[in-house]
Amino acid sequence: MLSTDHKCRLKAIVILSDGIRGHLNQSRGITGWLSKMTGAEILELEVPLLKNAVRLRARSEAKGLAAGNKRDARDWINKFEGESLVRQVGQWFAERNIYEGSREVLLISAGSAAAPYNLALSYIWRCACATVMTPSGLGTDPFDFAIVPEHDYPAPKPNVFVTLGSPNSVVKEDLVKEGEQLLADFPSAAGKKWSVLIGGDDANYSIGAAWIEKNIGLILRSAEVEDADLYITTSRRTQPAAAEALKKLAGGTERIKYLLIAAEDPINPIPAMLGFSNEVFCTDDSVNMVSETVTGGHCVILMRAGRKYGPKMLLQKITSWLAERDAVSPASVWGVPKFDRVFFRFARHGALVEFDDWIHGKRERLSYEWDEVEREKWKDFNESHRAAQWICTNWK
């Protein structure tokens, strides 16, 4: 067990999940380190997935929890289908002789949907609570601990810890073993092994069949020249047409040794792929995938996804332009320009290179003069570990 601050006497951690894999991955990353540091047991529960008008009403009424009390919390929980959560948590606590008011318990959630349940349960059980990212409506103030990405420009507060990119469950020391297991099932005799992590569509980005044919085609041609085999995974946001285009490419070449379509298989192969890859390609719609790759000790080759152009994209660019000229706060930047700032930070420290530069042979990683503190930080980059250490250090 890792040593930690003597004040951190955690006995139990409850992860409250909204069912989004990326959010759960962030919570698992932090709690995994906390468990190693303290020996705390972990329970994962999924919050009710409210829909349409009920979801909007729940989010609106949750604002009252920020200045509420135990009775308000019970009323909100009962109104929005959370009774089973109370029972499950209560039973799990009872089995471990944990009672109301224990300071040996942490509730943690990522995202906005699970945050009100997190806060309400913390009132009911009078225990500590942590949020990953800033929950809309609630903000970070009601939580004992808030782990917030730098690109959200959080205000400096005692309960806020700022990360670069996303916390994740990648542990560099475990990757080689996981990679060996994947290679045993999908072997390669090539001199190099490249992994490709493909995201998908959202409000800003688009990855269609034509994008796949062009960009994966470019990688395949480079793979032929450099004697490399490919290992590819998608996200649940990858549109069916893009997935079918990948299957078609895989069926026409021996270079693609492994293809996992996330919508068809719940396995997360990314840690294993990071365990053996010489190069790792990531699409820029997923800060999570990029963060996992850097945490795994790799330099990301960033592939630019398609953009959904329109009034919203134009407004994003205008806001970013104004922020660069100090006309508006940097915290006003949103959408694609906000995430591009994360990639710039990684790139200026040699942890990311653009795909266009890579494909045209400009593979030199940008390098700047680092002081020793900066050099050490990037050598062992792991935001989940840092966040867990911060929680332990500030535990009361």
Side-chain angles (χ1 to χ4, degrees):
M1 186 185 302
L2 301 178
S3 62
T4 187
D5 192 286
H6 71 281
K7 295 183 292 185
C8 191
R9 294 190 172 91
L10 259 176
K11 185 175 181 180
I13 304 170
V14 179
I15 296 176
L16 297 170
S17 169
D18 60 3
I20 297 176
R21 185 182 297 181
H23 291 176
L24 180 58
N25 187 35
Q26 293 188 56
S27 294
R28 282 176 173 171
I30 296 167
T31 57
W33 283 107
L34 283 171
S35 181
K36 289 179 182 179
M37 293 172 178
T38 65
E41 293 184 74
I42 300 173
L43 172 68
E44 290 186 10
L45 295 174
E46 193 162 301
V47 303
L49 302 180
L50 307 176
K51 296 181 179 179
N52 304 326
V54 177
R55 180 179 59 189
L56 295 175
R57 190 165 67 250
R59 183 170 295 185
S60 175
E61 295 186 21
K63 295 176 183 178
L65 293 172
N69 52 41
K70 184 175 180 179
R71 182 171 181 175
D72 294 331
R74 282 199 174 276
D75 288 344
W76 189 92
I77 280 278
N78 292 336
K79 190 170 183 179
F80 295 106
E81 305 175 17
E83 305 96 324
S84 64
L85 278 180
V86 177
R87 288 195 299 271
Q88 291 176 82
V89 171
Q91 180 178 347
W92 194 70
F93 283 175
E95 292 169 354
R96 287 151 183 80
N97 296 316
I98 297 172
Y99 302 99
E100 182 181 320
S102 170
R103 297 305 294 178
E104 299 176 317
V105 175
L106 177 69
L107 306 176
I108 188 169
S109 62
S112 298
Y117 293 96
N118 183 350
L119 188 58
L121 287 171
S122 75
Y123 278 124
I124 292 171
W125 290 101
R126 293 193 295 123
C127 61
C129 57
T131 181
V132 185
M133 301 183 290
T134 303
S136 58
L138 285 174
T140 58
D141 286 349
F143 295 87
D144 298 282
F145 306 100
I147 297 93
V148 182
E150 180 185 80
H151 55 265
D152 281 350
Y153 286 91
K157 297 176 182 177
N159 71 321
V160 173
F161 180 82
V162 180
T163 64
L164 175 58
S166 305
N168 56 78
S169 56
V170 168
V171 179
K172 191 188 299 184
E173 293 73 18
D174 298 339
L175 299 182
V176 172
K177 183 177 180 180
E178 296 183 54
E180 289 173 349
Q181 294 174 350
L182 183 59
L183 284 178
D185 294 330
F186 301 91
S188 165
K192 299 177 183 178
K193 299 167 186 64
W194 298 346
S195 286
V196 186
L197 316 182
I198 299 172
D201 290 29
D202 62 15
N204 298 303
Y205 301 94
S206 177
I207 297 176
W211 187 97
I212 293 292
E213 291 163 3
K214 175 185 175 182
N215 291 278
I216 304 305
L218 286 171
I219 295 176
L220 280 169
R221 285 194 284 277
S222 293
E224 288 291 347
V225 173
E226 300 199 25
D227 185 29
D229 283 341
L230 303 187
Y231 292 75
I232 303 175
T233 185
T234 69
S235 86
R236 287 192 288 185
R237 292 183 291 105
T238 307
Q239 58 175 275
E244 289 304 315
L246 280 169
K247 292 177 183 178
K248 184 176 180 180
L249 284 174
T253 177
E254 293 294 319
R255 286 292 174 187
I256 298 179
K257 296 298 182 184
Y258 177 79
L259 172 62
L260 183 137
I261 305 299
E264 301 172 3
D265 195 324
I267 293 174
N268 175 17
I270 292 177
M273 293 162 72
L274 297 178
F276 58 71
S277 295
N278 304 102
E279 299 279 29
V280 182
F281 304 80
C282 297
T283 55
D284 69 339
D285 60 291
S286 178
V287 172
N288 286 343
M289 285 181 174
V290 171
S291 300
E292 287 176 316
T293 301
V294 178
T295 304
H298 293 276
C299 174
V300 175
I301 301 170
L302 190 71
M303 306 179 74
R304 297 290 179 171
R307 301 291 187 262
K308 292 185 175 178
Y309 293 103
K312 187 164 71 171
M313 186 65 69
L314 178 61
L315 186 57
Q316 290 178 15
K317 290 182 177 180
I318 291 172
T319 306
S320 179
W321 184 85
L322 291 171
E324 290 170 1
R325 287 152 182 79
D326 297 322
V328 298
S329 165
S332 303
V333 177
W334 57 295
V336 172
K338 180 173 77 169
F339 301 127
D340 281 347
R341 293 186 176 198
V342 184
F343 304 141
F344 174 77
R345 280 290 308 278
F346 282 136
R348 74 183 297 268
H349 292 293
L352 181 148
V353 64
E354 294 284 346
F355 178 63
D356 283 348
D357 289 339
W358 184 91
I359 206 73
H360 291 105
K362 301 175 183 177
R363 304 185 187 185
E364 300 84 1
R365 276 50 168 168
L366 294 175
S367 60
Y368 288 72
E369 289 297 324
W370 294 351
D371 59 30
E372 288 304 313
V373 174
E374 189 75 4
R375 185 183 300 277
E376 194 63 26
K377 181 176 74 173
W378 284 86
K379 175 184 174 184
D380 297 313
F381 179 80
N382 190 309
E383 296 299 71
S384 293
H385 190 194
R386 284 207 312 128
Q389 289 177 318
W390 171 74
I391 289 173
C392 277
T393 300
N394 291 278
W395 192 262
K396 296 179 181 178

